[in-house]
Amino acid sequence: DAEVVLVGRSNVGKSTLMRELTGHSFDTGGKPGVTRQPNHYDWAPEDFVITDLPGFGFMSGVDEDHREEIKTNIVRYLEEYADDVLVGILVVDGKSVIDIIDRHSGPDSIPYDVEMFHFLRELEIPVVVAVNKMDKVDDRDERLNELCDRLGLYPPWKQWQETIAPITAKNGRIEPLNEAVRSHLHEENRDDL
Ligand code: GDP
């Protein structure tokens, strides 16, 4: 089945976004690390399933081994189903993403978000970065340009509206994401002709 996957660190607002996308109620603010299995939901207007993969990265009360296990499972899932995945939505928290990326960048380390972005692209899955919590971001253009820079996309971000989608899931302001996802779905259709 055609599938859209959602990945992201825990607490970026994935459950909130899933609720907006599907109209289905999700456990937000629940115990971290609990969503271990992928959850599938129908996305009615566009005839595909949307899969919520477990949150990765730091979670209080979840030990390092378990975090690694969660990440390994996500990677395996994506490798296994890459052919069916139309779009990968990488959800980040617009307020903290640059600090987190910069803190975890080093000669021998690549931050999870950047790694996941490149990993999806290696699997030839079109990626849309849903930059959530934009209601908390004042210097919007600057922040989004910095994010492009960290992901290896030339700023300005406005050239990348099929890849960078600033949203406020909490208030239902997700139109840039819908637009970006749609643009990739229609690309797929063109390839089929
Ligand atoms: P998940 O762990 O990624 O599933 O994150 P949740 O959906 O549980 O959200 C984590 C926290 O971020 C909750 O307190 C949400 O209310 C909050 N949140 C989600 N979306 C937004 C948003 O667009 N703006 C703001 N300010 N907070 C948000």
Side-chain angles (χ1 to χ4, degrees):
D1 255 11
E3 184 175 346
V4 169
V5 297
L6 232 72
V7 295
R9 287 179 169 274
S10 62
N11 211 43
V12 293
K14 252 157 36 72
S15 314
T16 306
L17 178 57
M18 275 298 275
R19 195 169 54 216
E20 280 302 319
L21 291 171
T22 64
H24 198 287
S25 185
F26 294 86
D27 183 23
T28 54
K31 276 179 252 153
V34 164
T35 321
R36 267 164 237 170
Q37 299 302 316
N39 290 312
H40 304 277
Y41 296 91
D42 292 328
W43 198 2
E46 299 267 8
D47 198 25
F48 50 74
V49 297
I50 179 157
T51 303
D52 182 22
L53 294 174
F56 56 84
F58 177 79
M59 287 164 272
S60 63
V62 179
D63 66 33
E64 167 100 40
D65 285 353
H66 185 192
R67 292 205 303 264
E68 279 304 313
E69 185 191 318
I70 292 170
K71 206 181 102 183
T72 303
N73 287 339
I74 294 171
V75 166
R76 287 208 187 113
Y77 182 91
L78 290 170
E79 282 173 342
E80 187 170 349
Y81 295 106
D83 287 347
D84 296 326
V85 178
L86 298 177
V87 179
I89 301 175
L90 172 63
V91 189
V92 300
D93 177 339
K95 181 77 182 169
S96 60
V97 65
I98 303 297
D99 287 344
I100 291 176
I101 287 177
D102 289 352
R103 199 184 318 143
H104 292 98
S105 298
D108 304 312
S109 61
I110 167 164
Y112 276 140
D113 292 313
V114 177
E115 185 180 24
M116 196 55 75
F117 180 77
H118 293 303
F119 179 65
L120 288 165
R121 303 232 295 190
E122 268 166 39
L123 294 174
E124 298 185 343
I125 296 172
V127 193
V128 176
V129 184
V131 191
N132 192 31
K133 309 197 187 183
M134 288 304 288
D135 57 312
K136 297 207 282 184
V137 175
D138 300 323
D139 49 350
R140 177 187 168 91
D141 287 342
E142 194 182 324
R143 189 67 59 99
L144 296 169
N145 287 341
E146 282 179 317
L147 180 60
C148 280
D149 172 72
R150 302 307 189 274
L151 296 175
L153 307 171
Y154 275 109
W157 77 273
K158 288 206 168 146
Q159 300 183 102
W160 299 100
Q161 295 194 42
E162 294 186 357
T163 306
I164 302 288
I167 62 169
T168 299
K170 198 178 72 175
N171 299 340
R173 298 178 57 189
I174 59 166
E175 194 48 35
L177 176 63
N178 287 332
E179 284 294 319
V181 169
R182 255 182 236 125
S183 72
H184 294 292
L185 299 180
H186 298 148
E187 256 164 43
E188 289 282 325
N189 291 340
R190 274 203 298 277
D191 290 347
D192 290 344
L193 296 175

